[in-house]
Amino acid sequence: MIPFDFEYYRPQSITNAADIFQTLEESGKNPVFYAGGTEIISMARMSSITTGAVIDVKEIPELKAMEFNGDDLVIGAGVTLTQIHEANLFPLLAQACARVADHTIQNKITLGGNLCGTIIYREAVLPLLLTNAYLVIASVKNARRVPINEVFSKRMQLNRGELLVQVHIPRNYVSCPYVHVKRTKEDKIHYPLLTVCALLTDNQVRAAFSGLVNFPFRSVEMEEALNDINLTLEQRVEQALNKLPAAVPDNLEGSAGYRTFILKHLLTSIVNELETGNVTNS
Amino acid sequence: MLQILNESLIELHINGEIRKALARPSDTLLFFLRERLGLTGAKPGCENGDCGACTVLVDGWPVKSCLMLAAEAIGHEVTTIEGLDKVPIQQAFVDKFAFQCGYCTPGFIMNCQGLINIHPDASDEVIHEWLQSNICRCTSYQEIMEAIRSVLPSQ
């Protein structure tokens, strides 16, 4: 049971959502955009967050889109992880979505919620980082389409009142050879000890990571090392490990040494699989 | 625009009927079903989306009702364990002894019923994927697998 009251709004358009956010903000209600709501409800139950109003945006048509449009695969921020997995229009993203939380919760978590939530793993962002996806973001002032690396740095960098509307993924990436690997400490349903998404494009390996450090990331420096054909595979992986963007944490989920050990072996097998065309996802 | 500003009479489609009751906008669907409508089949367990004891179907899909607001269910079809009328998976749970204390059983049955409706051709891998959303502290997992296998046409 949520131990405080808030107001509930279900706008039918982006304009309507942006307007009501501004009105509620000005009246001191501290509103939040609400899609799947799993994180908001569980945090509200513990009084970890408070709000005077939730704005349920997941039934706005643009947020429910999922289709190829021109050169892009367009996925609305209100599309659930299950819908993305079942449609399988972008297999790497579908696979990443199918390993967030458990299946029933995937019926509720939305793509936008996974990207904008406070839980640090945000595994659905990894395929988007690899494909140079664009995000459509709306506010009461305007709507803008921006490259993901301009608004995702460790987490989504949205201003108050900005609403993530859609993700646009360049079509040419959706059928690239890929590998998705998620390793957990114990059960299959758990936060990641380490999740790696990788794909091969123009004979170059791209890789993005979650669980390794305290934020999901893609590192161009690590990719340059992994793709340095003047070195042996073992040397390439060692070079990549030296270019991690932050210290690997020691915590209950796993020691830094253990995580690095797993990463080293995963990178070796992933690069080998992609370069030899012998891909086995797990 | 639908808006609910305080405790109000809301109308939900539940088990094929229109049910009206007072709800706060911050009431979870689980709370609304149990405390406002007396539909106590959905069980409060962790109330954090981990255990699956509160699973119901929303538009045919399993949803943990502790992680959904009652207000969100307006305009959608909710099915609780009370809405199942002697469907095969219920008898299969009896036949295969797929429960011990029974607390998790309604949630498991609703998840199984969703799977049967949506993926009647489910493989063992898909069954495992779906059933990992629910926890049985009595560890009846093998019997539950046997129960759902016995009613899936593909098995």
Side-chain angles (χ1 to χ4, degrees):
Chain A
M1 182 176 174
I2 296 172
F4 60 89
D5 289 317
F6 51 69
E7 298 172 354
Y8 175 86
Y9 297 84
R10 191 190 293 177
Q12 297 299 313
S13 70
I14 295 167
T15 305
N16 204 191
D19 287 346
I20 193 66
F21 187 99
Q22 186 180 41
T23 301
L24 292 166
E25 182 83 337
E26 287 170 358
S27 63
K29 292 266 170 62
N30 188 30
V32 292
F33 287 124
Y34 179 104
T38 56
E39 184 176 300
I40 291 174
I41 291 178
S42 44
M43 292 178 74
R45 187 177 65 82
M46 302 295 288
S47 295
S48 299
I49 61 163
T50 57
T51 177
V54 301
I55 303 170
D56 186 350
V57 294
K58 64 179 167 289
E59 297 197 10
I60 296 172
E62 288 89 340
L63 275 82
K64 294 166 71 174
M66 183 163 55
E67 61 186 2
F68 284 101
N69 187 350
D71 292 333
D72 291 332
L73 170 60
V74 175
I75 303 180
V79 175
T80 67
L81 302 187
T82 294
Q83 289 168 331
I84 292 170
H85 176 60
E86 295 262 334
N88 201 27
L89 298 176
F90 177 17
L92 175 56
L93 181 62
Q95 204 157 334
C97 290
R99 290 299 312 276
V100 174
D102 65 45
H103 184 272
T104 302
I105 298 183
Q106 289 158 18
N107 297 338
K108 198 77 171 37
I109 298 175
T110 61
L111 178 61
N114 187 257
L115 300 184
C116 298
T118 62
I119 295 173
I120 62 171
Y121 303 104
R122 304 182 182 94
E123 291 160 86
V125 81
L126 303 182
L128 308 182
L129 293 172
L130 296 181
T131 54
N132 299 332
Y134 290 84
L135 304 182
V136 176
I137 296 164
S139 70
V140 73
K141 296 176 186 167
N142 58 21
R144 57 196 176 110
R145 183 178 186 268
V146 290
I148 190 166
N149 59 12
E150 286 186 14
V151 278
F152 191 92
S153 175
K154 299 183 180 178
R155 62 180 180 80
M156 288 289 288
Q157 310 284 339
L158 296 179
N159 298 314
R160 283 288 292 167
E162 285 191 321
L163 172 65
L164 177 61
V165 175
Q166 290 177 338
V167 171
H168 292 186
I169 301 157
R171 181 195 285 260
N172 55 307
Y173 290 114
V174 302
S175 55
C176 287
Y178 71 92
V179 176
H180 169 273
V181 182
K182 178 171 181 172
R183 293 284 181 263
T184 55
K185 184 180 178 186
E186 294 171 352
D187 293 339
K188 186 176 179 185
I189 308 296
H190 209 284
Y191 292 126
L193 188 66
L194 174 60
T195 295
V196 185
C197 287
L199 62 75
L200 185 72
T201 179
D202 297 329
N203 292 319
Q204 299 285 297
V205 174
R206 296 181 181 184
F209 308 87
S210 172
L212 183 60
V213 299
N214 291 329
F215 51 87
F217 70 93
R218 174 187 172 195
S219 163
V220 173
E221 291 77 15
M222 289 178 71
E223 289 174 4
E224 286 173 352
L226 290 174
N227 290 301
D228 186 348
I229 57 171
N230 296 315
L231 304 175
T232 66
L233 178 54
E234 187 178 351
Q235 290 170 326
R236 292 151 64 187
V237 170
E238 286 294 341
Q239 291 286 325
L241 293 178
N242 289 333
K243 298 180 186 301
L244 289 170
V248 179
D250 269 308
N251 55 33
L252 284 175
E253 296 296 323
S255 67
Y258 184 48
R259 280 192 167 89
T260 308
F261 170 80
I262 292 176
L263 175 63
K264 179 177 178 179
H265 287 271
L266 281 182
L267 279 179
T268 304
S269 64
I270 286 170
V271 173
N272 186 52
E273 283 179 29
L274 287 173
E275 290 185 343
T276 61
N278 185 23
V279 173
T280 55
N281 283 290
S282 59
Chain B
M1 175 171 62
L2 172 65
Q3 49 184 312
I4 305 171
L5 305 184
N6 45 41
E7 188 172 62
S8 311
L9 198 62
I10 68 167
E11 186 177 292
L12 296 189
H13 293 254
I14 299 175
N15 300 330
E17 299 177 345
I18 295 175
R19 302 291 303 268
K20 296 177 184 176
L22 286 171
R24 294 156 61 232
S26 58
D27 279 346
T28 61
L29 179 59
L30 174 65
F31 181 88
F32 182 79
L33 292 170
R34 291 180 60 83
E35 305 300 328
R36 307 286 191 171
L37 298 180
L39 295 172
T40 56
K43 302 299 183 202
C46 65
E47 293 190 65
N48 195 47
D50 295 321
C51 74
C54 65
T55 302
V56 300
L57 301 183
V58 178
D59 297 333
W61 286 88
V63 168
K64 294 178 180 179
S65 59
C66 70
L67 290 185
M68 181 170 187
L69 299 175
E72 282 183 83
I74 294 172
H76 298 277
E77 183 63 44
V78 179
T79 307
T80 71
I81 189 77
E82 291 90 343
L84 300 187
D85 185 12
K86 297 177 182 171
V87 294
I89 189 63
Q90 290 172 303
Q91 186 61 47
F93 265 61
V94 176
D95 294 343
K96 302 294 182 184
F97 301 99
F99 52 84
Q100 293 181 59
C101 83
Y103 196 81
C104 71
T105 306
F108 263 108
I109 287 181
M110 296 314 292
N111 196 10
C112 289
Q113 186 64 24
L115 176 60
I116 292 163
N117 289 340
I118 292 165
H119 287 303
D121 58 343
S123 62
D124 272 1
E125 184 183 358
V126 172
I127 298 171
H128 275 289
E129 194 71 40
W130 280 56
L131 292 190
Q132 281 176 338
S133 303
N134 295 62
I135 294 171
C136 170
R137 62 164 292 178
C138 308
T139 66
S140 299
Y141 298 112
Q142 189 58 41
E143 290 81 2
I144 293 168
M145 275 296 290
E146 289 173 14
I148 191 164
R149 280 188 184 130
S150 74
V151 297
L152 278 172
S154 62
Q155 301 274 331

